[in-house]
């Protein structure tokens, strides 16, 4: 029973103990009351190790949510070492409104003449694909220099993550006729440059330029020209 209780109850960490882990190679950070050991993660951090070294030993909940979405925490749950004894923070709402500065302001309640409901649906669908299909393999493939396999290339195409990064154009109509989905159920005639910007933004959040470029950067540059000027 004691073993079960130990598993169910996270280790309690005092503010003083957290503050002791504030040096390169020995870095703990607290987010939402949970404490994470970032010592070995520093070199993998998309934002660089320097910012982690500067914030080590502190509660960085505010700083974290200025730049990250809540689901990032689940991805790195293995780094959690305990919970602050002073913690009173509740889990942050995972909706757009619950992620200050990390989403387009129009999705957080601000008025916008540019973003509408179709852009929100599009964003949610692209985020879902990125988080489920790309994020889990991004770091490994980036380090190995591997290109996406044929299966992933097909998924990118079928789920509209190739054609939508080409921007508005006649290819949008043709894509639908070929059975290619546009994320969020967006219709070809309502697709605009803000949808395209969202697609680039959400994939760009991965933070690994080599991996991101392997997802068709050259194709995205050349395909529109070939479409317009190529011969049969």
């Amino acid at each position: 029973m004691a073993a079960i209780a130990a598993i169910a109850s996270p280790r309690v960490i005092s503010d003083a103990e957290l503050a002791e882990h504030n040096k390169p190679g020995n870095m703990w950070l607290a987010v939402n009351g949970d404490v994470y050991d970032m010592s070995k993660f520093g070199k993998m951090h998309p934002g660089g190790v320097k910012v982690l070294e500067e914030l080590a030993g502190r509660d960085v909940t505010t700083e974290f949510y200025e730049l990250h979405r809540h689901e990032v925490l689940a991805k790195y749950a293995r780094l959690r070492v305990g919970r602050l004894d002073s913690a009173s923070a509740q889990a942050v709402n995972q909706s757009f409104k619950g992620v200050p500065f990390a989403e387009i302001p129009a999705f957080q309640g601000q008025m916008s003449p540019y973003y509408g409901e179709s852009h929100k649906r599009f964003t949610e669908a692209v985020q879902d694909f990125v988080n489920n299909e790309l994020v889990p393999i991004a770091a490994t493939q980036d380090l190995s220099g591997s290109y996406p396999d044929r299966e992933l290339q097909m998924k990118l195409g079928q789920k509209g993550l190739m054609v939508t990064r080409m921007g508005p154009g006649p290819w949008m109509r043709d894509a639908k006729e070929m059975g290619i989905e546009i994320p969020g159920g967006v219709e070809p005639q309502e697709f605009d440059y803000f949808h395209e910007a969202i697609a680039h933004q959400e994939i760009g959040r991965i933070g690994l330029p080599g991996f991101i470029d392997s997802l068709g950067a050259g194709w995205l540059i050349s395909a529109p020209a070939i479409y317009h000027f190529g011969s049969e």
Side-chain angles (χ1 to χ4, degrees), residues 47-66:
V49 68
K50 188 66 176 178
V51 65
L52 299 181
E53 293 175 350
E54 292 176 352
L55 297 173
R58 295 169 44 191
D59 185 329
V60 296
T61 301
T62 299
E63 291 85 350
F64 177 86
Y65 283 111
E66 287 178 350

Side-chain angles (χ1 to χ4, degrees), residues 49-153:
V49 68
K50 188 66 176 178
V51 65
L52 299 181
E53 293 175 350
E54 292 176 352
L55 297 173
R58 295 169 44 191
D59 185 329
V60 296
T61 301
T62 299
E63 291 85 350
F64 177 86
Y65 283 111
E66 287 178 350
L67 296 169
H68 306 81
R69 293 198 299 271
H70 185 74
E71 56 263 31
V72 172
L73 295 175
K75 178 182 176 183
Y76 296 106
R78 67 184 185 281
L79 302 179
R80 189 166 55 229
V81 293
R83 187 159 179 84
L84 286 178
D85 59 1
S86 60
S88 60
Q90 300 296 315
V92 172
N93 186 336
Q94 296 186 40
S95 69
F96 287 120
K97 289 185 179 180
V99 191
F101 311 115
E103 303 291 353
I104 294 169
F107 302 157
Q108 298 176 319
Q110 296 188 27
M111 297 296 293
S112 171
Y114 308 110
Y115 293 96
E117 183 60 31
S118 72
H119 298 94
K120 184 174 181 179
R121 296 197 318 270
F122 183 81
T123 300
E124 291 173 330
V126 174
Q127 286 180 353
D128 184 66
F129 184 90
V130 170
N131 290 332
N132 289 299
E133 301 290 345
L134 302 181
V135 170
I137 64 171
T140 300
Q141 293 210 201
D142 189 69
L143 288 172
S144 67
S146 302
Y147 282 94
D149 58 26
R150 182 64 174 170
E151 180 182 359
L152 180 56
Q153 291 175 354

Side-chain angles (χ1 to χ4, degrees), residues 14-25:
S14 67
D15 291 338
E17 183 180 2
L18 171 65
E20 292 174 358
H21 298 270
N22 63 351
K23 302 176 181 64

